[in-house]
Amino acid sequence: MALLSRSLLAAAIAFSSFSSYASLEKKQCEVELSHGLIITDDVIRIVDKGQTRVQINNNNQLFIRGYWVDLNPEETKVVEQFSLGIRDTVPELVELATDGVNLGLSAIEQVVEGMSDKEPEVLKTQLQYVERALMDKFKRGDDFFFIAPQSLSKIDDFFTKEISQKIHSAVHGSLGAILVSLGDAFKSREGNIEDRINDMGQRMDIISKEIDKSLQKKAEQLEMKASEYCECLNSLDVTESRLQKIVPGMADFDLVQIKS
């Protein structure tokens, strides 16, 4: 039993690789998205309290509060630059964020499946909490990307505190259920319990190392993108300022805010 407990603890520690994930964002400039964004192939929507406030169709048609804004060709180019700037940055950020967490969730499930014949109910509940928290901030579907209003320089807090804490709760919460399951198996003499524990311990060690390796790779990918995000978002802020001068109504929904 002690071996199994140590192995499960090792797996939990492996998930602390999210801390590596966290340190990256500190290198970025202080950028805030003051409104949510929904991005599809043809449409960008700036949303506030569940309502679409600004919509850009096909990168060149601008609507504010549902009303089409008539623009000349030069003004339309600014709208296009703003739209493409959003598309060049936000979808990739959402992809990287969701991929990192989904990797961790998948790894937890692999670990627990190797431990017990059935997945503990506490694990299902905790993983639902993780997924819900993630989807409130980042969401990716087959044909859309969503990012909620947030400080992009504090994404690390979201992952290392909220998400990481929920992942650790899922692992530790499952531990008790697994030990109970193993105890029941021992009482009913279902197979050799010592062999099962040894095998599980070895599998846990392997899986923990793979989790750590995969998350570290994800962290390195994010690190490479950190300065690029900063440059893109600074440029996007400049373009947005130009657009606000052309269309004053855009100032009511200032999307990108740089905090010096």
Side-chain angles (χ1 to χ4, degrees), residues 44 56 59 77-90 236:
I44 290 176
I56 302 175
N59 297 322
K77 286 182 180 179
V78 180
V79 172
E80 184 176 9
Q81 289 174 1
F82 183 61
S83 178
L84 293 177
I86 291 173
R87 291 184 181 279
D88 285 345
T89 306
V90 174
L236 185 61

Short mmCIF file of all heavy atoms in Angstrom, two decimals, residues 44 56 59 77-90 236:
data_model
loop_
_atom_site.label_atom_id
_atom_site.label_comp_id
_atom_site.label_asym_id
_atom_site.label_seq_id
_atom_site.Cartn_x
_atom_site.Cartn_y
_atom_site.Cartn_z
N ILE A 44 -15.91 37.49 -36.44
CA ILE A 44 -15.33 37.78 -35.12
C ILE A 44 -16.38 38.55 -34.34
O ILE A 44 -16.93 39.54 -34.83
CB ILE A 44 -14.04 38.61 -35.22
CG1 ILE A 44 -12.91 37.77 -35.82
CG2 ILE A 44 -13.62 39.13 -33.84
CD1 ILE A 44 -11.62 38.54 -36.04
N ILE A 56 -17.42 41.57 -36.79
CA ILE A 56 -16.70 41.79 -38.04
C ILE A 56 -16.92 40.57 -38.93
O ILE A 56 -16.56 39.45 -38.56
CB ILE A 56 -15.19 41.99 -37.79
CG1 ILE A 56 -14.95 43.17 -36.85
CG2 ILE A 56 -14.46 42.20 -39.12
CD1 ILE A 56 -13.50 43.37 -36.45
N ASN A 59 -13.71 39.78 -42.30
CA ASN A 59 -12.57 40.67 -42.05
C ASN A 59 -12.76 42.10 -42.56
O ASN A 59 -11.85 42.91 -42.43
CB ASN A 59 -11.28 40.11 -42.69
CG ASN A 59 -10.88 38.78 -42.08
OD1 ASN A 59 -11.03 38.56 -40.88
ND2 ASN A 59 -10.39 37.89 -42.92
N LYS A 77 -9.60 48.95 -44.66
CA LYS A 77 -8.30 48.30 -44.48
C LYS A 77 -7.90 48.24 -43.01
O LYS A 77 -7.28 47.27 -42.55
CB LYS A 77 -7.22 49.06 -45.27
CG LYS A 77 -7.29 48.84 -46.78
CD LYS A 77 -6.16 49.58 -47.48
CE LYS A 77 -6.22 49.37 -48.99
NZ LYS A 77 -5.12 50.10 -49.69
N VAL A 78 -8.25 49.26 -42.25
CA VAL A 78 -7.95 49.26 -40.82
C VAL A 78 -8.76 48.18 -40.10
O VAL A 78 -8.25 47.48 -39.22
CB VAL A 78 -8.23 50.65 -40.20
CG1 VAL A 78 -7.92 50.64 -38.70
CG2 VAL A 78 -7.41 51.72 -40.90
N VAL A 79 -10.02 48.05 -40.50
CA VAL A 79 -10.86 46.97 -39.93
C VAL A 79 -10.24 45.62 -40.24
O VAL A 79 -10.18 44.73 -39.37
CB VAL A 79 -12.30 47.05 -40.50
CG1 VAL A 79 -13.12 45.83 -40.06
CG2 VAL A 79 -12.99 48.33 -40.05
N GLU A 80 -9.78 45.47 -41.48
CA GLU A 80 -9.16 44.21 -41.87
C GLU A 80 -7.90 43.92 -41.06
O GLU A 80 -7.67 42.79 -40.62
CB GLU A 80 -8.83 44.24 -43.37
CG GLU A 80 -8.27 42.92 -43.89
CD GLU A 80 -8.05 42.95 -45.39
OE1 GLU A 80 -8.15 44.04 -46.00
OE2 GLU A 80 -7.75 41.88 -45.95
N GLN A 81 -7.07 44.94 -40.85
CA GLN A 81 -5.86 44.76 -40.05
C GLN A 81 -6.21 44.35 -38.62
O GLN A 81 -5.55 43.50 -38.03
CB GLN A 81 -5.05 46.06 -40.04
CG GLN A 81 -4.38 46.39 -41.36
CD GLN A 81 -3.71 47.75 -41.34
OE1 GLN A 81 -3.71 48.45 -40.33
NE2 GLN A 81 -3.12 48.14 -42.47
N PHE A 82 -7.22 44.97 -38.06
CA PHE A 82 -7.66 44.64 -36.70
C PHE A 82 -8.17 43.20 -36.62
O PHE A 82 -7.80 42.44 -35.72
CB PHE A 82 -8.77 45.62 -36.29
CG PHE A 82 -9.26 45.43 -34.88
CD1 PHE A 82 -8.41 45.56 -33.80
CD2 PHE A 82 -10.60 45.14 -34.65
CE1 PHE A 82 -8.87 45.40 -32.49
CE2 PHE A 82 -11.07 44.97 -33.35
CZ PHE A 82 -10.20 45.10 -32.27
N SER A 83 -8.98 42.82 -37.60
CA SER A 83 -9.53 41.47 -37.64
C SER A 83 -8.44 40.42 -37.78
O SER A 83 -8.41 39.42 -37.05
CB SER A 83 -10.53 41.35 -38.79
OG SER A 83 -11.06 40.04 -38.89
N LEU A 84 -7.51 40.66 -38.71
CA LEU A 84 -6.44 39.69 -38.94
C LEU A 84 -5.49 39.63 -37.73
O LEU A 84 -4.93 38.56 -37.43
CB LEU A 84 -5.66 40.05 -40.21
CG LEU A 84 -6.44 39.92 -41.52
CD1 LEU A 84 -5.60 40.37 -42.71
CD2 LEU A 84 -6.91 38.47 -41.73
N GLY A 85 -5.31 40.76 -37.06
CA GLY A 85 -4.48 40.76 -35.86
C GLY A 85 -5.05 39.87 -34.77
O GLY A 85 -4.32 39.15 -34.08
N ILE A 86 -6.36 39.90 -34.62
CA ILE A 86 -7.04 39.02 -33.65
C ILE A 86 -6.86 37.56 -34.07
O ILE A 86 -6.53 36.69 -33.25
CB ILE A 86 -8.54 39.38 -33.56
CG1 ILE A 86 -8.70 40.75 -32.90
CG2 ILE A 86 -9.29 38.31 -32.77
CD1 ILE A 86 -10.13 41.27 -32.91
N ARG A 87 -7.05 37.30 -35.34
CA ARG A 87 -6.97 35.92 -35.84
C ARG A 87 -5.54 35.36 -35.76
O ARG A 87 -5.36 34.15 -35.60
CB ARG A 87 -7.46 35.85 -37.29
CG ARG A 87 -8.94 36.10 -37.44
CD ARG A 87 -9.40 35.92 -38.87
NE ARG A 87 -10.82 36.18 -39.02
CZ ARG A 87 -11.78 35.31 -38.73
NH1 ARG A 87 -11.44 34.11 -38.29
NH2 ARG A 87 -13.04 35.62 -38.89
N ASP A 88 -4.56 36.22 -35.86
CA ASP A 88 -3.17 35.77 -35.82
C ASP A 88 -2.71 35.38 -34.41
O ASP A 88 -1.70 34.70 -34.26
CB ASP A 88 -2.23 36.87 -36.35
CG ASP A 88 -2.30 36.99 -37.87
OD1 ASP A 88 -2.84 36.07 -38.50
OD2 ASP A 88 -1.85 38.02 -38.40
N THR A 89 -3.44 35.84 -33.40
CA THR A 89 -2.98 35.65 -32.03
C THR A 89 -3.90 34.79 -31.19
O THR A 89 -3.47 33.80 -30.59
CB THR A 89 -2.83 37.03 -31.34
OG1 THR A 89 -1.99 37.86 -32.12
CG2 THR A 89 -2.22 36.86 -29.95
N VAL A 90 -5.17 35.13 -31.13
CA VAL A 90 -6.07 34.52 -30.15
C VAL A 90 -6.32 33.03 -30.37
O VAL A 90 -6.23 32.25 -29.42
CB VAL A 90 -7.39 35.31 -30.08
CG1 VAL A 90 -8.40 34.60 -29.16
CG2 VAL A 90 -7.13 36.72 -29.58
N LEU A 236 -1.76 45.08 -32.19
CA LEU A 236 -3.21 45.05 -32.27
C LEU A 236 -3.81 46.25 -31.52
O LEU A 236 -4.79 46.85 -31.98
CB LEU A 236 -3.74 43.74 -31.67
CG LEU A 236 -5.25 43.49 -31.77
CD1 LEU A 236 -5.69 43.45 -33.22
CD2 LEU A 236 -5.60 42.20 -31.05
#
